[in-house]
Amino acid sequence: MSDTPVPPTLAERALVGLVRGYRLLLSPWLGASCRFAPTCSVYAIEALQRHGAAAGTYLAAARILRCNPFCAGGHDGVPEQAPSLFAHLGLSKAPGPCPSTPLLQKLPHD
């Protein structure tokens, strides 16, 4: 596997643009209230760029749901590997954990 970066898709660019628009237009009005480092918007951009539109959106949404008054917060970086479902389905740019056996195996005929 080569180390050449995969160019961003149209969906990734659009989603990153939405997050950057939020940071530019809405975030200053809402104030700094993120419980995590990096902030949720920085996390979302990094997740989208590292893992692609599907897995990045999932990771960003999960992070936003964790950002609530009942969570202590702290440092929470983007994982190196995509969630296994996205890696198995090929919906992530970064390599994820791959099973040693195929998901669907042929059963022997009776």
Side-chain angles (χ1 to χ4, degrees):
M1 178 183 231
S2 66
D3 290 333
T4 42
V6 177
T9 64
L10 181 61
E12 289 171 49
R13 289 193 312 242
L15 290 167
V16 168
L18 284 173
V19 174
R20 287 189 175 144
Y22 160 79
R23 292 182 73 193
L24 179 68
L25 301 173
L26 291 176
S27 186
W29 295 95
L30 298 175
S33 60
C34 192
R35 300 172 175 279
F36 292 104
T39 64
C40 292
S41 57
V42 171
Y43 180 96
I45 291 171
E46 186 178 342
L48 289 164
Q49 290 173 340
R50 182 180 294 174
H51 297 296
T57 300
Y58 170 80
L59 288 168
R63 168 70 176 275
I64 291 168
L65 290 174
R66 284 194 311 268
C67 194
N68 61 62
F70 304 107
C71 181
H75 180 71
D76 178 31
V78 176
E80 291 294 322
Q81 295 182 337
S84 59
L85 172 66
F86 294 95
H88 289 305
L89 295 176
L91 296 174
S92 175
K93 292 194 318 189
C98 294
S100 58
T101 58
L103 291 175
L104 299 174
Q105 296 178 347
K106 288 187 176 183
L107 298 174
H109 295 289
D110 291 322

